[in-house]
Amino acid sequence: MLTDDYDPLRGRMLQVLDQDGQIVEPSLEPKLDADMLERAYRTMVLSRVADEKAVILQRQGRLGAYPPNRGQEAASLGPAMALDRDDWLVWAFRELAGLLWKGLPLLSFYLYWMGNEEGSHYPQGLNITPAAVPVASQLSIAVGIAYASMCRREGRVALGFCGDGATSEGDFHEALNSAGVLRTPNVFVIQNNQWAISVPRSRQTAAPTLAQKACAYGFKGIQVDGNDLLAMYIATREAVERARRGEGPTLIEAYTYRLGNHTTSDDARKYRQEQELREWELRDPLVRLKTYMTAKDLLDESKEQEIWKAARDATDKGVKEAESFPKPALEDIFRYTYEEMPAELKAELERLRSELQDGER
Ligand SMILES: Cc1ncc(C[n+]2csc(CCOP(=O)(O)OP(=O)(O)O)c2C)c(N)n1
């Protein structure tokens, strides 16, 4: 089992592809067919293009504050690829590639970051929960979903994501403790991108790895090269199989890096060394997968160009749809808290309406 061979207490990190996209561990190479690999690469490229577009839209005042995904594509895509259709994906706020793989329309993604609640109203049956900006709050939801699936004998797994900073929150420990005790079918992926805004990973915990925290909760943990799509895929696949056999949760630490700013309101140059960024740029997950696929004759220059063009077209379409979508109404802020709006809220709504009429905002 990978979790035995790569026991985090022995300080081994799982890798299939090295930094240059060459296979380091042939016995671990998953048998992904050409179609699946091409879909994976298309998803990563679409995620990259759509993500960079979101940053541009924010700069142009067409989208709100936005958390860039650049560099972390493999860390969310690999786990999503290991799920079955009915399994749940419980995300934080930096998992675009995984969401696209699961089928989230770009329209929903853009609407959400444009501040329209309709962006959290996903097509029926996707089994994705809405974004969770309160750090670590989504993990207990992932445990609840998995526990419900277990009680109903549905055989569904709930994959929950969080960041390295989230591991300092009480919610993280409460969720993982419950999962361990109840042996819920969960896979937890920590996207260890080295920084929680300006707080480095070394200030989150004195433990050498985040993966070893699983020991305290009585389940398996593994540290994986988060920029290696194949490694993320095989680690999660094993964890999903274990969960489905009723053997409980697994904690996966995806060792990765946030190449961009924390959000569009942040300036990482104020707290991060340029040199660190340069080193991580060489480990770009897209380039690694491209090298691997090119060596297998699954990718050439003309296909590469077609894939990037298709991604740009799909992104333009998503932005256009989102910008022509009906804007939320003022009442929407008040409408959904109670079945019937109480008098105080009604009064507040009326006051806001009249203030807006007077030109105040
Ligand atoms: C409960 C809570 N506290 C603080 C914040 C402000 N905040 C937003 S993101 C963030 C850092 C999160 O770091 P990490 O979990 O490592 O995820 P990353 O942003 O690096 O992906 C903080 C402190 C918040 N959203 N929720």
Side-chain angles (χ1 to χ4, degrees):
M1 253 190 329
L2 294 172
T3 42
D4 293 332
D5 298 344
Y6 292 83
D7 180 345
L9 292 178
R10 288 198 280 145
R12 286 186 78 196
M13 180 168 77
L14 175 69
Q15 232 187 7
V16 179
L17 295 177
D18 70 7
Q19 180 160 325
D20 302 318
Q22 310 293 333
I23 298 195
V24 276
E25 197 44 80
S27 65
L28 296 181
E29 184 185 359
K31 290 182 185 53
L32 293 171
D33 64 26
D35 268 7
M36 184 126 163
L37 279 170
E38 186 177 321
R39 258 186 72 203
Y41 188 64
R42 279 183 188 278
T43 305
M44 271 212 204
V45 171
L46 177 58
S47 171
R48 178 68 57 96
V49 173
D51 180 65
E52 287 177 349
K53 183 74 180 182
V55 175
I56 294 169
L57 292 175
Q58 191 281 333
R59 297 292 184 241
Q60 294 173 339
R62 293 157 69 187
L63 186 141
Y66 176 77
N69 286 239
R70 200 158 68 87
Q72 294 183 223
E73 291 86 353
S76 69
L77 177 58
M81 286 169 66
L83 294 182
D84 280 357
R85 207 182 148 275
D86 287 340
D87 292 331
W88 280 86
L89 192 157
V90 182
W91 63 302
F93 45 82
R94 218 185 288 280
E95 283 85 13
L96 176 55
L99 298 174
L100 291 172
W101 179 271
K102 194 106 173 48
L104 189 84
L106 266 182
L107 168 66
S108 304
F109 189 75
Y110 281 128
L111 277 181
Y112 176 78
W113 294 110
M114 285 174 181
N116 192 325
E117 281 300 319
E118 278 300 311
S120 298
H121 195 177
Y122 303 154
Q124 205 65 45
L126 266 193
N127 291 359
I128 301 177
T129 50
V133 176
V135 171
S137 59
Q138 71 282 7
L139 295 178
S140 341
I141 294 170
V143 176
I145 291 173
Y147 188 51
S149 163
M150 192 171 124
C151 296
R152 293 176 182 168
R153 298 181 195 280
E154 288 172 343
R156 294 178 187 176
V157 172
L159 166 67
F161 286 95
C162 70
D164 44 301
T167 65
S168 299
E169 291 282 348
D171 281 6
F172 172 84
H173 302 281
E174 289 164 20
L176 268 68
N177 192 53
S178 307
V181 171
L182 299 169
R183 286 169 74 85
T184 51
N186 278 114
V187 181
F188 302 105
V189 174
I190 303 171
Q191 291 214 59
N192 173 9
N193 65 9
Q194 315 299 330
W195 292 91
I197 317 187
S198 57
V199 180
R201 143 72 179 87
S202 58
R203 301 289 296 164
Q204 302 297 341
T205 176
T209 69
L210 296 170
Q212 72 194 66
K213 291 185 178 286
C215 305
Y217 306 110
F219 52 86
K220 305 271 188 185
I222 185 167
Q223 190 185 48
V224 182
D225 181 335
N227 287 13
D228 175 353
L229 180 80
L230 302 186
M232 284 305 297
Y233 170 72
I234 61 168
T236 315
R237 196 185 52 188
E238 182 183 282
V240 165
E241 283 164 5
R242 187 168 30 246
R244 249 194 264 289
R245 283 196 303 267
E247 293 169 25
T250 305
L251 178 64
I252 298 175
E253 173 186 355
Y255 195 80
T256 182
Y257 195 74
R258 153 168 70 75
L259 291 175
N261 289 316
H262 168 73
T263 66
T264 44
S265 314
D266 169 51
D267 179 0
R269 286 172 306 183
K270 291 194 173 148
Y271 54 83
R272 214 164 64 172
Q273 298 295 318
E274 183 75 11
Q275 179 61 21
E276 184 180 286
L277 180 63
R278 295 282 97 82
E279 280 165 21
W280 277 95
E281 275 172 347
L282 300 173
R283 301 174 202 165
D284 189 324
L286 268 73
V287 179
R288 270 158 90 161
L289 186 62
K290 178 183 160 181
T291 308
Y292 171 73
M293 288 175 64
T294 306
K296 284 188 161 295
D297 278 336
L298 296 173
L299 209 56
D300 59 21
E301 201 43 51
S302 75
K303 187 165 226 167
E304 170 86 356
Q305 280 183 15
E306 180 266 313
I307 289 174
W308 283 86
K309 181 175 180 313
R312 282 191 290 271
D313 291 348
T315 297
D316 290 346
K317 184 167 167 274
V319 173
K320 213 168 169 182
E321 282 176 358
E323 291 194 323
S324 50
F325 202 86
K327 297 268 177 286
L330 184 66
E331 289 79 4
D332 287 349
I333 304 171
F334 298 85
R335 197 177 274 159
Y336 303 110
T337 311
Y338 298 94
E339 192 176 335
E340 236 178 81
M341 204 186 292
E344 320 81 86
L345 264 194
K346 273 187 193 154
E348 216 177 292
L349 173 61
E350 283 318 314
R351 198 166 62 239
L352 187 62
R353 268 202 191 115
S354 66
E355 278 174 6
L356 287 176
Q357 267 165 14
D358 293 343
E360 284 181 40
R361 287 198 67 95

